[in-house]
Amino acid sequence: MIGEEKPLLTVKKAAKFYGSKLVFKDINCHIKAGEILLIAGPNGAGKSTLMRIMAGLSLPSAGEVSLHLDSEDMAYLGHATFIYPGLSALANLAFWGTMYGLSPLREELMALLQRVGLERAAEEKAGSFSRGMAQRLNLARIYLVEPKLIFLDEPGTGLDPKSLATLRREIAGFRDSGTSVVWISHHVLEDAALADTVLSIGNKKVEYFGPASRFALEAAKC
């Protein structure tokens, strides 16, 4: 259709094998600018594997992934926090900035830490942080690079209620700013309320791909 917005990410007939073991096949989905795509499915369905393929961190065994943006416009937050335990929160952010070719001022870094509620821990070594604090520091890293597409692999795992509420608020904020999010969550029904689209994987294939509101309604009937 003329004038239709081009997706940032398109997956066509993606399949993944580990040796002779099929993880999934015929995965088709897409995400547009400013959308939140929630990936659902039971443990072992291949959600994290699919996300890594989407992010270009792994290759599909078949099919293709088309990304219509540069790699520096993407950010990935997985199970590992990738913080440097011997460095302070402030030093971690400054180091990450240099990795992206940035030279942020201390005031800018402090503003990021304040945004995630870590300004009082700015000079503390990150190795002493709780899981929730470490994930919030990771969120600050994402804000630092201002990506257009963010991949979140179960970012709420192990978070306390306060940190989980902060995470959900910030994910909603990403969409409001026009940033797209691909999100794997343990709390699918609760988090579907924040999503635009749900991709549900089961039995090695797509079981649902469509509006999050309809997915939540059908799931509530089960």
Side-chain angles (χ1 to χ4, degrees):
M1 182 182 297
I2 297 176
E4 185 175 355
E5 184 182 0
K6 189 176 185 179
L8 289 181
L9 168 69
T10 303
V11 179
K12 293 182 179 179
K13 293 187 174 296
K16 187 66 177 181
F17 287 87
Y18 286 121
S20 61
K21 180 183 178 182
L22 174 66
V23 181
F24 51 68
K25 64 178 182 178
D26 294 329
I27 303 294
N28 296 284
C29 65
H30 61 267
I31 184 169
K32 296 180 179 179
E35 286 187 337
I36 295 180
L37 170 64
L38 189 67
I39 301 179
N43 291 336
K47 301 185 296 296
S48 294
T49 299
L50 176 60
M51 177 173 282
R52 289 181 60 82
I53 290 173
M54 287 178 164
L57 300 175
S58 180
L59 294 175
S61 302
E64 62 180 280
V65 176
S66 299
L67 282 166
H68 304 290
L69 72 170
D70 296 327
S71 59
E72 57 264 28
D73 290 325
M74 299 187 298
Y76 185 96
L77 197 161
H79 296 283
T81 57
F82 295 112
I83 63 175
Y84 293 88
L87 298 179
S88 69
L90 198 62
N92 265 280
L93 278 185
F95 175 75
W96 286 326
T98 62
M99 296 294 289
Y100 284 92
L102 304 173
S103 301
L105 299 174
R106 177 185 173 88
E107 292 76 12
E108 295 173 319
L109 298 180
M110 286 300 298
L112 292 175
L113 292 175
Q114 183 176 17
R115 183 174 175 179
V116 297
L118 290 177
E119 67 276 14
R120 294 184 178 179
E123 301 292 353
E124 294 182 18
K125 288 187 177 181
S128 66
F129 285 5
S130 67
R131 170 72 180 179
M133 293 173 70
Q135 281 291 58
R136 281 187 275 154
L137 181 55
N138 257 340
L139 278 176
R141 172 172 58 90
I142 290 176
Y143 298 143
L144 179 65
V145 299
E146 299 181 339
K148 296 178 181 177
L149 177 58
I150 301 171
F151 297 93
L152 302 175
D153 190 352
E154 297 182 348
T157 301
L159 297 193
D160 57 86
K162 179 181 178 181
S163 295
L164 189 58
T166 298
L167 174 68
R168 287 173 171 153
R169 182 175 65 250
E170 296 302 333
I171 289 174
F174 286 136
R175 177 173 54 191
D176 293 341
S177 67
T179 301
S180 301
V181 179
V182 180
W183 180 14
I184 299 174
S185 169
H186 272 315
H187 311 279
V188 175
L189 290 183
E190 298 95 323
D191 292 335
L194 291 174
D196 298 290
T197 309
V198 172
L199 171 67
S200 181
I201 306 173
N203 299 313
K204 306 184 188 305
K205 65 182 188 303
V206 173
E207 294 190 325
Y208 178 90
F209 177 62
S213 56
R214 192 174 73 197
F215 175 85
L217 184 62
E218 292 178 359
K221 295 178 180 178
C222 298

